[in-house]
Amino acid sequence: MLFSRFTALIFAVPLLSSTALASKGQQLPLDPTMSEEFVRPGNTLPTLFDLLVLQRGSSIFFDYLRESSTISSRMKDESVKSTVLLPTNKAVISLGWKPHQGPPKPTPDGDVAVEITEAIGRANVERWLSAHVLPVEDINWNSDSPITTLLDGKPITVLKTHTGQSEEWQNYGVAQGDGAVGFVKRIPASNGVIYVVNGTISSE
């Protein structure tokens, strides 16, 4: 079930043996010498989904993404362009709560409610993932306008936080609360781009 799987996942992501994965026809785990980026035959870029599989430092996000058939399909579709704001495992763990549970909400008696149904859990995951996906091929750094995410009514705003960096995207962050989530790495794909970020995007 969704909840039992991710209860352990947030704190320790077990490494399955390559034999077990291969027998199920799944992606083999990366050897430390393997690259997290690659090109396909003919020097064509891989899809967002293919690249997300390889991001070992953001594996928690990918495990949640696989629970969403809608967003997973979008990541595989080369005709649909997206920008993914990919939080690191450290950023997800630092939330202090699990994305399928959603942020803690106090009950009328003051206790924090944590028991949720399967349906609510899946809805929370979908909302959280959607807040991290922009329906655009890349971010326009010259625009001050909010950028729509897949989560209705929850656009993001990018702020200039630095100057003089070698790459334009390195000068920006995503506004969150009183601060900004920084861009760590840019990974181009055939159907968009991934920006690894050092925080998470609020779905509330």
Side-chain angles (χ1 to χ4, degrees):
M1 291 179 64
L2 181 71
F3 308 136
S4 60
R5 178 184 306 174
F6 290 120
T7 298
L9 176 63
I10 291 298
F11 300 101
V13 182
L15 178 63
L16 299 179
S17 71
S18 59
T19 302
L21 284 170
S23 66
K24 295 180 181 180
Q26 297 180 10
Q27 174 73 35
L28 294 178
L30 290 180
D31 181 90
T33 62
M34 294 174 67
S35 173
E36 294 187 353
E37 300 180 40
F38 67 94
V39 293
R40 296 181 296 190
N43 290 324
T44 59
L45 290 172
T47 65
L48 289 166
F49 189 89
D50 291 336
L51 289 169
L52 288 167
V53 171
L54 299 179
Q55 306 311 307
R56 291 168 291 180
S58 298
S59 58
I60 294 175
F61 182 91
F62 179 70
D63 281 318
Y64 276 111
L65 182 140
R66 290 189 301 174
E67 295 293 326
S68 170
S69 59
T70 301
I71 298 180
S72 289
S73 296
R74 183 184 184 96
M75 298 296 100
K76 297 174 183 177
D77 190 344
E78 294 191 84
S79 69
V80 180
K81 308 302 182 183
S82 302
T83 294
V84 180
L85 305 178
L86 179 63
T88 62
N89 289 340
K90 181 179 179 180
V92 179
I93 293 171
S94 296
L95 282 172
W97 46 269
K98 303 173 181 66
H100 66 274
Q101 292 178 329
K105 294 180 175 61
T107 59
D109 59 7
D111 295 329
V112 175
V114 295
E115 294 296 329
I116 55 176
T117 66
E118 182 83 5
I120 291 174
R122 291 191 179 279
N124 286 340
V125 168
E126 195 78 17
R127 281 180 57 84
W128 187 74
L129 291 171
S130 297
H132 292 80
V133 180
L134 319 177
V136 294
E137 187 169 6
D138 203 346
I139 295 172
N140 180 1
W141 306 110
N142 295 318
S143 174
D144 295 329
S145 301
I147 307 170
T148 300
T149 68
L150 293 187
L151 182 57
D152 287 344
K154 291 293 179 180
I156 64 162
T157 301
V158 294
L159 305 172
K160 196 157 192 176
T161 56
H162 299 84
T163 58
Q165 298 297 317
S166 58
E167 299 288 341
E168 183 69 8
W169 60 268
Q170 295 174 321
N171 293 309
Y172 291 84
V174 180
Q176 291 289 286
D178 295 329
V181 170
F183 295 101
V184 176
K185 185 178 182 181
R186 182 182 186 275
I187 309 169
S190 61
N191 54 340
V193 65
I194 296 169
Y195 286 100
V196 179
V197 293
N198 62 8
T200 60
I201 307 304
S202 173
S203 58
E204 299 301 306

